[in-house]
Structure formats: C-alpha cells, structure tokens
Amino acid sequence: MGYEDVYRAWQADPETFWMDAAKAIDWVEMPSRALDDSNAPLYEWFTDGKVNACYNALDRHVENGRAGQVAVIYDSPITGTKAKFTYAEMRDKVALFAGALAARGVTKGDRVIIYMPMVPEALVAMLACARIGAVHSVVFGGFAANELAVRIDDATPKAIIAASCGLEPGRVVDYKPLLDGAIELARHKPEFCVILQREQKPAALIEGRDVAWDAAQEGVAPADCVPVEGSHPAYILYTSGTTGAPKGVVRPTGGHLVALNWTMKNVYNVDPGDVFWAASDVGWVVGHSYICYGPLIHGNTTIVFEGKPVGTPDAGTFWRVISEHNVRSFFTAPTAFRAIKRDDPKGELIKDYDISCLNILYLAGERADPDTIHWAQRTLGVPVIDHWWQTEIGYPAVCNPVGIELLPVKVGSPSVALPGFDIRVLDEAGKEMPRGELGAIVIKLPLPPGTLPTLWNAEARFRKSYLTTFPGYYETGDAGMIDEDGYLYIMARTDDVINVAGHRLSTGAMEEVLASHEDVAECAVIGVGDELKGQLPLGFLCLNRGCNRPHDEIVKEVIKLVRDKIGPVAAFKLAVVVDRLPKTRSGKILRGTMVKIADGQDYKMPATIDDPAILDEIRLALQPLGYAKG
Ligand code: COA
Ligand code: AMP
C-alpha cells in the first residue's frame, strides 16, 4: 500500500487503524476499543487496556530472542567512554533500580523527577519509573535551579534522581548544587534523592535525604512490571509556553507505545535489530520518544551520545558515530548541521569514515533552511527528510512517510500529514484558507494516540491554550500553508515561543526575569535571526526614571540574571537599553515589527502604532549589535 492508501484507510476507519497498530504492543489486557470520546473535546485512547511500557521496551525482547542484542550504546567523546548494554543487561539494570525506588516507597502514580545528562543511567531511571508505574519528569540539564524548582512544585515528586554533574565542552556543570538550590527554593520537598556519582565530579550527599545510585540498589529485590491503564501518564514533560510557567505535557502510556512503535518502521524505516540514532538529549521530547522509548519498544539499538556536533573533538564526530555503530537512520536538529557546516564547509572530515550504512537523515525541531538541507544531501549522499512535530504531539505529525513510500522531497516543506493527523490552515475567524495561503495550522480533533490528553494540573490552561481559539481543532501555535499537493510549509510561531538551536524557549519567561531587575521599568524580548542557532533572544530594556547607571553594566546584569534564573540554554546574550518601546494605541508592544526591523526585513507601518518615530529609535539601538541592517 502506498501513502495515499494508508492515509485513506486511517481516515475511513481510525478505530480499526489504531486497533490494528495496537496489536504490535504486548498488552496485559488488550483494550476493547481505541478511542474514548466520552469526555470530548478531551479524548483518551486505549483506556481500558492494561500495559507496561518497560515490559514492551525491554522484557518482551529478552523473552522473544533479543536478549543478547545490544539495546543501548553509550558513546561519550566528552569523557572518552564507550559501552554497550544488551536487552538482557538493560532489563536487569532497570529491574534492580526499579526495585530500589520501590523499596523506598515509590509506587504507581508517584512522580519522579530525573535531572541527568546523557548517560545510560538516565534511560535506566526513566524505564525503572515506567516499570513500577511511576510518572517520570525529565528536566533538561541546561536549566537553572529556579526552573527545576518550578517543575518540582508542579510535579510534586516523591523522589528526584540526578547525577553529580554534567559535562559541557571545557566545563563541568555541577548538577548537585543546582539540585540542592532548587529543592531549597521549592515549596514541595521530595522524600529522597538518588545521586549518580560521576568520577569527573562526585558530589557531597545530604544525609537522610540523598542516597548514592549504587548504595540505593544494595540488597534490594528487582521489581516486576506493574500493569497500568492505557491512559495512565507515562511521563510529564515541561515545555515552554507563553508565560514563565512551563506547560506540563502529559503523555499517556498506551497511545505512546502504539504510536511510537508505528513510527519506527513507517516514518524512520528501521526494522527491529537496526541501529537508530537520535542525537538529542533526554531532556527534550526527541530524547523521550527516539532515544529512549521508540527504538527500544521496536527492538532497535539506540545510542546515548554525550557530546556535541562540533568540538568533541571535531566536526567529524557524527560521522565517526554513524560509521562505528552502523547507524541506519539518523535524526538531529538542523542547527547541528549548521554547526558542522560552519566548521567543515567542504565536508572534508566525512572522507575519513565509511558511512555507507546510513540510509536517511531526519531533521526536526526548527525550520530546516534549504542551504543546510542541500549541504547535508551533498555531503552525506542520502535523502534528507525534514519533519514536523511538537512536544505536545510526541512524534511526527507531518513527514515524508519513508517507510511506506518515499514521496518526492520538496525542500522547505516537511511534506505531508501522517495518518492520525487531519491538518488544516485556518484564518482568524476559523475559516479554512485556500491552498497556498497563510494561516494558523490546526489539527482536527481528536488528536491521535500518544498525543497530550491534557496538561498536568492545568486542564483549564490546556483548553485555553489549545482548544478554544478554533473549536473542534487543536491549535498548534504555528502558522503556515498547505500547497496544491498537500505539502505543509511552516512559516512562524503565532505566540511568544522562539526556537534557539532547536530548543523551544519562551520570550515571556525571559521578560519576567528582565522585569525583576531593579532598574528595569519595562522590557520586551524578541527572537532575532541567527545563522547558527536559527533564532537568538534579544532583550529591550526601558530603565526606571532617574536611573543613571551605565547601560552596559545593567545589560551585563540582566544577561547574568537570565542565565541564573532560566539557565545557559536560554542563550540570552543580547540586550539594549531604549527610551521607549513601540506600542499600539491600546498599549500592546509591537514585537512582530521589532523582529522585522532587527532582521532587516521590510515591514508595514502598523496602523495602530502610537508613535511611528519610536521605530527609528529601535533601529538605531540595534545597529551597534549588528542587527537592523537592511
Ligand atoms: N547542561 C548544561 N548546560 C548546557 C546543556 C546541558 N545539558 N546543554 C547546553 N548547555 C549550555 C551550553 O554549554 C551553552 O553554554 P554557554 O553559554 O556557556 O556556552 C548554552 O547552554 C547554550 O547551549 P546551545 O544553545 O546548545 O549552544 P552551544 O554553543 O553549546 O552549541 C550547537 C551549539 C549547535 C552545537 C548545539 O546547540 C547543538 O548541538 N544543537 C543541537 C540541538 C538539539 O539537539 N536539539 C534537540 C531538538 S532535536
Ligand atoms: P518542540 O516542542 O520543542 O519540539 O518545538 C515544537 C516547535 O518547533 C513547533 O511548534 C515548530 O514551531 C518548531 N518546529 C518543529 N519542527 C519543525 C520543522 N520541521 N520545521 C519548522 N519548525 C519546526
């Protein structure tokens, strides 16, 4: 069957489509039906099934002939370490660690925060939670203590599992003081913390609260898999929204297993036994779906890579990993390729490696610019597939369905809607736009299995953020168009979210931090174009009347404040002081116009602008930073 047939089969009978896909999962009790629409417009899937995610990721493969197959490869150019773990070894490690959590009272439904770098123990911790029905919430290591504290208060974890440190090129990131600081800041206190002591920088433990990773497992019995309902949350993953409070995306277990398993062949075109590599981080959705769960559920070998595309040690690292570990499908963010291209424009380093094992490169997480796609195609000599999805969705919604049929690639488009997704482009009034015209990208409800059913502790926010603007549809927050052939083009976000090096960040959250500086009366943060990272945040500061401190001092202080409050991942390094911000007569800051000025693009003078002269002031303030040149 070709793509059209598969898509039509889903459209004609989604229930049968997903019940068929569900047969590839080992259920303790097979669900009697796929969709539960009893609470529409909130939907759930496979609610009356019983299942365990860890069993599907590990045990079933051990029982079905893959015990000796490598499940996880750890490759850390940053520490010079490599290790391989078979499915049997992973199952045993996970069962024992799950036993350690259970022995300390963690049971089904309890939340566990995981704050770890790219080490195999991060996967062990995630799968151990899944084994006993605990709900994990992984927090990316590049966030500061304050962000961790916000997540602790929202998820109210019984336990936190962390490493003593992470490693960035040229610097050790002390996780433990960040963790201690976060627990101190948070109102909620975990009952205990398990700390993985890394030899690069072991941490001091707090007696009575902290226990070392190894010590926690001494004398405990391995835990069995606990069956959970299909709709039981597998995890919560916080992502940036419009405000400083992150959104806790809930991932339901049953749908997550079914959908991820379906994508491994139909999207990523790998068969069980093949090596699949997603060069991302466990702190992001890509890490959840395609470093941890997806490949393991499907019986693939996955790679935990602790390094960067460049500088660990050079721009040939990706090629070494692909060649050494026989990677068949590879997934990363365009920014990683831009970094490699910058260091090795002619792709000389690839000549040192035989990467003939590689069939396809997948890019996602941000716009894939044509230059980068062409460079990757030329350098790797394989199809380069751009695909589109979001943390909320959990897996690709729009993609060239390579495992079903390789459709013609149109550079600039992530291609077509996958089964499960009825994607439309609407105008502000909710009317469908003609083909080729720009509008809000929405998905007709219900969303398919594995997508978010709600936000943790925030059902009203879920309805307001996603379901209210366009009744009957899920609002993606992206704007774009669909062409005559049904190919989608993503043009921009419709909210205050920006995308920096493939990382999703909230300008609203940064504005909250800037506003907390004692000299700042008013501020705005926008995303400006950047050749390497796609976008970079840039802050405008209006100072309190009477403040005559040097502007560069205040700029330095706010940059430090964002790093301390949100974390280095925000990459907030640009700020200017201005007298006033451009606003509409009703007081709304004209951020869109400021972005256009900064990027040197043409813009229309907003009809509602309060005072057009301010735009010239903005241009002049930006020019010393190298922006607003057009
Ligand atoms: N723990 C602690 N700090 C971290 C971190 C982590 N896990 N990840 C990043 N940081 C820090 C970096 O060290 C950097 O700090 P600095 O300001 O002191 O230099 C800062 O956060 C910004 O990081 P980043 O935006 O990643 O920039 P970079 O200059 O370190 O690297 C790239 C640039 C392009 C190499 C890098 O962004 C990259 O590999 N991107 C791929 C993105 C990706 O995989 N996205 C996932 C979605 S698919
Ligand atoms: P995240 O939730 O971090 O995965 O970020 C999701 C957002 O990243 C989307 O809403 C888009 O704005 C952007 N994005 C993801 N993939 C793509 C892509 N292939 N092309 C353009 N933008 C993308």
Side-chain angles (χ1 to χ4, degrees):
M1 279 213 296
Y3 161 74
E4 288 280 347
D5 304 319
V6 176
Y7 191 83
R8 274 204 215 104
W10 161 72
Q11 245 178 346
D13 187 357
E15 182 71 17
T16 302
F17 182 91
W18 290 118
M19 285 304 276
D20 278 349
K23 289 182 192 143
I25 293 304
D26 282 38
W27 299 86
V28 179
E29 281 172 33
M30 186 72 191
S32 66
R33 61 191 172 140
L35 180 65
D36 176 354
D37 58 3
S38 56
N39 193 25
L42 306 193
Y43 298 90
E44 293 194 303
W45 293 87
F46 308 117
T47 35
D48 67 354
K50 288 268 170 61
V51 72
N52 182 278
C54 180
Y55 180 81
N56 277 277
L58 298 175
D59 301 55
R60 67 164 174 168
H61 302 305
V62 175
E63 290 162 17
N64 296 330
R66 296 191 182 278
Q69 181 193 312
V70 173
V72 177
I73 298 173
Y74 172 51
D75 189 310
S76 169
I78 213 153
T79 60
T81 319
K82 287 178 205 169
K84 292 185 178 175
F85 305 94
T86 63
Y87 270 99
E89 286 166 339
M90 277 303 283
R91 195 259 329 255
D92 293 348
K93 278 177 180 297
V94 168
L96 194 62
F97 191 68
L101 293 178
R104 283 175 171 71
V106 178
T107 56
K108 182 182 164 206
D110 286 339
R111 274 81 55 214
V112 175
I113 280 188
I114 299 175
Y115 188 53
M116 295 180 99
M118 286 296 289
V119 289
E121 287 84 354
L123 269 56
V124 171
M126 291 163 81
L127 292 161
C129 290
R131 193 168 187 89
I132 55 177
V135 181
H136 63 66
S137 186
V138 182
V139 178
F140 180 62
F143 283 121
N146 186 58
E147 288 289 320
L148 181 54
V150 169
R151 287 155 174 79
I152 293 173
D153 277 335
D154 196 62
T156 59
K158 188 173 262 183
I160 300 185
I161 305 166
S164 57
C165 69
L167 301 163
E168 284 293 291
R171 91 188 144 99
V172 174
V173 183
D174 283 312
Y175 278 27
K176 188 55 181 15
L178 292 170
L179 172 66
D180 293 344
I183 295 175
E184 185 137 348
L185 280 171
R187 285 185 309 280
H188 172 85
K189 310 290 173 196
E191 286 175 20
F192 67 97
C193 299
V194 182
I195 308 295
L196 175 74
Q197 295 284 25
R198 301 192 75 188
E199 61 179 49
Q200 290 78 12
K201 187 113 186 231
L205 302 186
I206 294 180
E207 230 189 283
R209 189 198 75 186
D210 299 343
V211 54
W213 178 272
D214 292 335
Q217 302 182 62
E218 272 165 23
V220 305
D224 282 335
C225 294
V226 173
V228 302
E229 301 72 31
S231 52
H232 181 75
Y235 66 79
I236 306 163
L237 178 58
Y238 289 89
T239 190
S240 300
T242 315
T243 65
K247 295 168 169 171
V249 168
V250 174
R251 186 79 56 220
T253 307
H256 157 70
L257 293 172
V258 172
L260 289 183
N261 187 67
W262 187 89
T263 58
M264 291 310 297
K265 177 65 194 167
N266 294 290
V267 173
Y268 297 110
N269 201 24
V270 284
D271 293 310
D274 288 341
V275 181
F276 176 85
W277 180 27
S280 179
D281 188 286
V282 284
W284 308 118
V285 69
V286 179
H288 284 66
S289 294
Y290 295 113
I291 295 174
C292 185
Y293 290 104
L296 295 179
I297 293 163
H298 194 246
N300 292 105
T301 299
T302 186
I303 300 183
V304 174
F305 172 73
E306 192 182 28
K308 300 267 174 178
V310 293
T312 58
D314 58 30
T317 301
F318 276 8
W319 323 140
R320 176 191 63 76
V321 172
I322 291 169
S323 132
E324 198 171 315
H325 303 304
N326 205 23
V327 173
R328 193 178 147 103
S329 275
F330 176 43
F331 175 174
T332 191
T335 192
F337 265 78
R338 289 196 293 270
I340 295 171
K341 181 164 69 126
R342 193 176 62 171
D343 273 23
D344 180 20
K346 295 213 172 90
E348 297 289 347
L349 291 170
I350 207 163
K351 296 184 186 137
D352 298 342
Y353 303 96
D354 173 7
I355 61 154
S356 55
C357 52
L358 185 72
N359 281 355
I360 306 190
L361 166 68
Y362 293 84
L363 297 175
E366 56 174 327
R367 182 174 169 268
D369 54 287
D371 272 3
T372 304
I373 294 185
H374 290 310
W375 187 86
Q377 272 166 345
R378 268 200 318 276
T379 312
L380 301 183
V382 298
V384 176
I385 304 296
D386 177 16
H387 61 326
W388 174 86
W389 48 298
Q390 317 178 292
T391 305
E392 289 86 340
I393 294 172
Y395 57 98
V398 174
C399 184
N400 200 319
V402 181
I404 302 173
E405 176 188 2
L406 179 62
L407 298 177
V409 172
K410 292 195 190 188
V411 172
S413 165
S415 300
V416 296
L418 290 176
F421 298 93
D422 178 349
I423 301 203
R424 312 275 179 96
V425 175
L426 306 183
D427 70 9
E428 276 177 11
K431 209 169 120 274
E432 218 166 316
M433 298 298 289
R435 292 279 161 125
E437 284 189 32
L438 266 181
I441 298 170
V442 300
I443 307 173
K444 194 162 186 302
L445 295 173
L447 292 178
T451 55
L452 84 171
T454 189
L455 293 173
W456 185 255
N457 279 341
E459 192 184 301
R461 188 176 182 194
F462 172 70
R463 290 176 187 266
K464 186 163 178 286
S465 303
Y466 302 106
L467 307 181
T468 308
T469 316
F470 303 107
Y473 296 93
Y474 163 87
E475 183 180 5
T476 66
D478 282 345
M481 60 161 188
I482 299 177
D483 76 5
E484 290 300 329
D485 300 322
Y487 280 57
L488 183 75
Y489 292 77
I490 309 284
M491 311 308 278
R493 287 287 302 188
T494 56
D495 56 11
D496 298 329
V497 166
I498 58 170
N499 202 312
V500 179
H503 309 317
R504 175 168 158 182
L505 299 167
S506 159
T507 53
M510 292 185 226
E511 287 176 3
E512 284 176 28
V513 176
L514 300 189
S516 72
H517 188 284
E518 58 180 8
D519 293 324
V520 173
E522 201 180 15
C523 64
V525 175
I526 59 168
V528 293
D530 182 72
E531 256 182 32
L532 175 66
K533 297 193 178 184
Q535 282 184 300
L536 279 181
L538 188 153
F540 295 87
L541 314 168
C542 300
L543 305 182
N544 288 322
R545 200 174 296 256
C547 167
N548 45 23
R549 296 185 51 214
H551 290 177
D552 57 342
E553 242 176 51
I554 297 173
V555 163
K556 267 196 207 127
E557 285 166 11
V558 298
I559 288 174
K560 180 166 183 309
L561 206 57
V562 175
R563 194 175 172 96
D564 291 349
K565 283 269 163 68
I566 297 182
V569 69
F572 183 84
K573 297 188 175 162
L574 299 167
V576 285
V577 174
V578 290
D579 282 341
R580 36 193 199 149
L581 296 170
K583 291 186 185 166
T584 61
R585 282 189 282 277
S586 58
K588 197 171 169 286
I589 299 174
L590 290 161
R591 292 184 181 77
T593 311
M594 290 156 83
V595 171
K596 290 219 158 88
I597 293 175
D599 289 344
Q601 291 173 14
D602 294 337
Y603 61 91
K604 265 208 252 138
M605 180 64 69
T608 53
I609 192 163
D610 186 32
D611 177 1
I614 306 181
L615 297 183
D616 284 328
E617 294 170 24
I618 294 291
R619 182 177 303 106
L620 287 177
L622 287 171
Q623 280 170 350
L625 294 180
Y627 293 90
K629 284 204 166 135

